[in-house]
Amino acid sequence: MPEPQPVIAPPASATVFLVAAIGPGGLQTVRAVLENVSALRRSVAFRSPGDELTCVVSIGSQAWDRLFSGPRPRDLHPFVELTGEKHRAPSTPGDLLFHIRAGRMDLCFELARLLMEQLRHCVSVVDEVHAFRYFDERDLLGFVDGSENPEGQLAADSVFIGAEDPGFHGGSYVTIQKYLHDLTAWNLLPTDEQEKAIGRTKSDNVEFPDDIKTEDAHIAVNSVTDEDGTERKIVRENMPFGAVGQGEFGTFFIGYSRTPDVTEQMLRNMYLGTRAGLHDRILDFSTAVTGCLFYTPTADFLDDLPTAPRPAHSSKGFPEIRSLKGTA
């Protein structure tokens, strides 16, 4: 199997999420930078190897055919916007996603700075979030986040594409949404009402039994099963963020999966409900302001990209692309 990017990784203390749109005339430089990401990461990571700096690069549907010739990932498509009776999951622009993680924010910041220095004038950053670990892996609502992630082989089976799309074996799909929380309204809820909305206890993070869990609890609507009753999993690597001066408090949702179908079903359950009049209770306090779907290629793919597509107006293809490999 080709070497995957470090999609499955221990929880990080610091994360930078960069979502970028490729501008006119920027394709050649973007391709060169994609091939140089691993070298840039190494140039920063050597300063503190124990802090495990990683950078996972993902590519959006509209950018794919502009960057690469040949086949495309079977299930890659734009994020599907959802509009329920009360809440909406918007679809927003995004050609590239850089998911940068480490034990220290300075390492994340430096790698993000170097990437944007090389991509300057070629992309526009449409969203930038500097996120942090909050106590014992809690979100700003006060609940532990991501405790139901699969582990070991189950995590790999849930995240990495297999024989169903052999040309993209080892890749993944990733869905992102930026949620803003109404903490004032949330904190007015008694703790037991907050726990009902989530479906688990707040202090010790114990999931409610099914006979106690309400239909609209966050955990209940996010449970997706196959026809045989087997639960379908994704790997969430959500992180909290905020700006106290602006009164902005949020969670950056990021879910990696073998197919986007699983995450999309979870979102349909949340926004459209499993029956009429039902939606995820957490949406009454958390509003999605972004939504994107990307394909996460393998590390081998990034090290040796497919050829660029030929411009529509020419049969000669792109001119020679300047390599950035090995530069910092």
Side-chain angles (χ1 to χ4, degrees), residues 31-64:
R31 284 176 52 90
V33 171
L34 291 179
E35 289 188 317
N36 194 45
V37 167
S38 60
L40 284 178
R41 187 205 64 82
R42 289 192 298 269
S43 73
V44 178
F46 88 96
R47 304 181 188 188
S48 184
D51 284 301
E52 299 182 333
L53 175 66
T54 63
C55 179
V56 177
V57 182
S58 304
I59 299 152
S61 179
Q62 293 182 354
W64 185 271

Side-chain angles (χ1 to χ4, degrees), residues 4-325:
Q5 293 191 70
V7 167
I8 302 173
S13 296
T15 302
V16 171
F17 299 101
L18 288 174
V19 181
I22 303 172
L27 295 174
Q28 296 179 54
T29 300
V30 167
R31 284 176 52 90
V33 171
L34 291 179
E35 289 188 317
N36 194 45
V37 167
S38 60
L40 284 178
R41 187 205 64 82
R42 289 192 298 269
S43 73
V44 178
F46 88 96
R47 304 181 188 188
S48 184
D51 284 301
E52 299 182 333
L53 175 66
T54 63
C55 179
V56 177
V57 182
S58 304
I59 299 152
S61 179
Q62 293 182 354
W64 185 271
D65 295 326
R66 297 170 62 200
L67 287 167
F68 314 120
S69 60
R72 55 186 280 131
R74 186 187 68 178
D75 296 330
L76 181 59
H77 55 263
F79 181 91
V80 178
E81 185 169 303
L82 297 171
T83 302
E85 292 183 9
K86 290 186 64 176
H87 303 289
R88 173 174 167 265
S91 177
T92 53
D95 291 329
L96 303 170
L97 169 66
F98 298 96
H99 179 193
I100 305 170
R101 293 172 286 182
R104 291 165 37 183
M105 179 54 79
D106 57 342
L107 297 172
C108 298
F109 180 86
E110 179 66 2
L111 180 52
R113 185 187 69 81
L114 291 174
L115 283 168
M116 289 304 105
E117 188 175 80
Q118 293 195 355
L119 288 169
R120 187 171 292 122
H121 309 306
C122 299
V123 304
S124 58
V125 175
V126 294
D127 196 24
E128 176 178 352
V129 174
H130 294 216
F132 50 86
R133 178 178 177 176
Y134 190 58
F135 299 114
D136 49 339
E137 307 296 342
R138 294 181 184 267
D139 56 29
L140 295 185
L141 300 177
F143 286 78
V144 174
D145 196 2
S147 58
E148 292 302 311
N149 275 344
E151 298 177 338
Q153 188 59 48
L154 179 56
D157 291 342
S158 301
V159 164
F160 298 125
I161 296 168
E164 69 274 13
D165 194 4
F168 296 92
H169 194 193
S172 301
Y173 294 92
V174 59
T175 301
I176 61 170
Q177 290 179 292
K178 181 179 177 180
Y179 281 91
L180 299 180
H181 305 313
D182 183 350
L183 287 190
T184 300
W186 177 255
N187 289 329
L188 288 175
L189 284 183
T191 298
D192 63 329
E193 289 298 317
Q194 292 181 358
E195 291 176 334
K196 288 179 183 178
I198 300 298
R200 65 172 65 243
T201 58
K202 190 172 185 178
S203 61
D204 52 9
N205 189 41
V206 176
E207 184 173 342
F208 289 165
D210 288 342
D211 59 343
I212 296 178
K213 200 180 301 172
T214 60
E215 274 188 291
D216 60 356
H218 182 63
I219 291 175
V221 299
N222 275 275
S223 178
V224 175
T225 57
D226 282 330
E227 293 179 357
D228 62 2
T230 302
E231 187 173 0
R232 305 180 73 187
K233 295 283 191 177
I234 67 173
V235 171
R236 298 171 176 84
E237 295 177 356
N238 306 350
M239 292 288 282
F241 65 92
V244 293
Q246 300 172 26
E248 181 180 271
F249 309 99
T251 295
F252 197 99
F253 166 77
I254 177 166
Y256 288 95
S257 57
R258 182 169 180 163
T259 167
D261 292 350
V262 185
T263 312
E264 289 172 344
Q265 184 59 57
M266 291 177 179
L267 292 176
R268 286 193 292 269
N269 291 351
M270 288 178 64
Y271 286 86
L272 308 181
T274 53
R275 62 170 176 80
L278 188 73
H279 64 265
D280 190 331
R281 178 80 168 105
I282 203 173
L283 296 179
D284 293 336
F285 306 92
S286 302
T287 302
V289 295
T290 68
C292 299
L293 171 66
F294 302 89
Y295 171 72
T296 306
T298 63
D300 300 289
F301 181 97
L302 292 176
D303 287 339
D304 186 16
L305 296 178
T307 57
R310 293 182 176 183
H313 63 275
S314 171
S315 62
K316 296 181 179 180
F318 283 123
E320 183 178 354
I321 296 172
R322 179 173 60 90
S323 175
L324 295 173
K325 283 190 176 181

